[in-house]
Amino acid sequence: MFFIAALPVILVLIWYFSTAFGEAKFFVPTPALLWETFFETWTGDRITTDVIPSLTRLLIGIAGSILIGIVGGLLIGSVRWLRALTEPTLEFFRAIPPTVLIPVLMLLIGIGDDMKIAVIISGAVWPILLNTIEGVRSMDEVLSDTTHTYGIKGFNRVRYLILPSAMPQIMAGIRQSLSIALILMVISEMFAASSGLGFTIVQFQRSFAIPEMWSGIVLLGIIGVIMSFIFQLIERNVLRWYHGLREIENAA
């Protein structure tokens, strides 16, 4: 527990001494000022006008990415000719930065929440989709032949063989997509928006409200940490069998 808290404490001390003296404190507030500003800024009406709308768009975007990524990955990874057909196209679209699609999506969808959710999905879906495809491709051939021998087909084959075999890589893809989704949520709210964390942070920066701007950045970091801890709990339960198997193999 000490080692977990050691690095944050050291960073806060460096931050304190760096801002306590000199001109840097104009651009970076002291820890005490930021602490005070944080609660003044984010414990009032902004929870309902900025924080909750942003979190709603983020969660919908992540859920959409997981659904599209897993379903599409299972389908493409299971059908060899479909994988060969779509691989060049997927590599092309994966190489396009999602941020450059914002003007296009604004024209096609509009400037509402649908556009912002589409931006999140357009970037967060790729780690899940590609990891799912690779997870299906790396499935144990002996287990696959065994399911054919016992006549396990269709949904049962997906449920009891393909999905469990690919789940470790699927969860790795979801972990990567969480940070991408958070970044794209902020970026999407910086364009033609009137609410949200990204919009509010930019407004603070343009009005030279430096402590308020940093408080928004800290809030984004807190959201990221909470998402990471929640994901670790879910992953530990979903992949309990996998971690148990790895422990047995390492012990042997």
Side-chain angles (χ1 to χ4, degrees), residues 58-75:
L58 176 64
L59 294 176
I60 294 174
I62 292 174
S65 300
I66 293 174
L67 179 61
I68 296 172
I70 293 179
V71 173
L74 290 175
L75 182 61

Side-chain angles (χ1 to χ4, degrees), residues 15-65:
W15 172 20
Y16 172 78
F17 287 109
S18 300
T19 56
F21 310 99
E23 298 180 356
K25 60 183 179 182
F26 176 79
F27 301 102
V28 182
T30 62
L33 178 58
L34 182 58
W35 178 267
E36 180 182 352
T37 304
F38 181 89
F39 286 98
E40 290 179 355
T41 304
W42 302 108
T43 55
D45 295 337
R46 285 198 174 91
I47 292 180
T48 56
T49 59
D50 294 315
V51 178
I52 293 179
S54 292
L55 293 179
T56 302
R57 290 189 284 262
L58 176 64
L59 294 176
I60 294 174
I62 292 174
S65 300

Side-chain angles (χ1 to χ4, degrees), residues 54-55 58 120 181-189 197 220:
S54 292
L55 293 179
L58 176 64
I120 295 172
L182 183 60
I183 293 170
L184 292 176
M185 178 204 75
V186 176
I187 294 175
S188 67
E189 292 174 349
L197 291 174
L220 290 173

Side-chain angles (χ1 to χ4, degrees), residues 61-126:
I62 292 174
S65 300
I66 293 174
L67 179 61
I68 296 172
I70 293 179
V71 173
L74 290 175
L75 182 61
I76 296 172
S78 301
V79 182
R80 185 172 301 177
W81 65 266
L82 183 60
R83 184 168 66 244
L85 178 66
T86 58
E87 186 172 4
T89 304
L90 293 178
E91 290 297 327
F92 172 79
F93 283 107
R94 184 179 69 88
I96 299 176
T99 51
V100 305
L101 297 176
I102 293 179
V104 178
L105 293 174
M106 289 173 63
L107 290 174
L108 297 177
I109 303 177
I111 60 174
D113 290 347
D114 293 342
M115 181 273 291
K116 299 174 180 61
I117 294 171
V119 170
I120 295 172
I121 294 176
S122 67
V125 70
W126 296 109

